[in-house]
Amino acid sequence: MGEDPRARLLAVVDRLGAIASAPDFHGCRYLAADLALSDPAHPGHEVTRAYRNTVHGLFRDEFAALGHVRPEFAADQLLILVDGLLAAGATRPGTRTAAASRELAEHIIDSGLS
């Protein structure tokens, strides 16, 4: 990937799309934990928040390196896309989740470039 933030961001989406499209994929453990733990004060949510904060920070830094006009917001969007990609991969096998997610990721990336 080298020094190309756009390629790195898309590589993440492509890899997750491949994982979510595998026949033995059963979903994201972090999303499943958030949905299963109904008590918002459960300590498990600290783990899932830390995971999402880390991923969000990595995305934000890549968007900033790319020169995106709204790196924080674009990272929000891409993280929502990733959650949706992983949920759809588990609940809608055989759909074009990976391809649809790739196209949406390209839109998020390219919409903030001048």
Side-chain angles (χ1 to χ4, degrees), residues 9-80:
L9 288 166
L10 290 174
V12 170
V13 174
D14 289 343
R15 181 67 182 128
L16 291 174
I19 291 168
S21 297
D24 60 343
F25 181 70
H26 299 291
C28 171
R29 69 184 74 181
Y30 298 100
L31 185 57
D34 277 335
L35 295 172
L37 301 172
S38 59
D39 179 2
H42 190 285
H45 292 298
E46 291 178 33
V47 174
T48 61
R49 273 191 300 275
Y51 155 76
R52 284 197 181 79
N53 287 338
T54 298
V55 175
H56 184 275
L58 293 170
F59 288 164
R60 181 197 59 235
D61 292 349
E62 291 293 345
F63 280 113
L66 190 59
H68 198 281
V69 296
R70 297 190 304 166
E72 187 78 26
F73 187 68
D76 292 342
Q77 290 177 311
L78 194 57
L79 192 54
I80 291 168

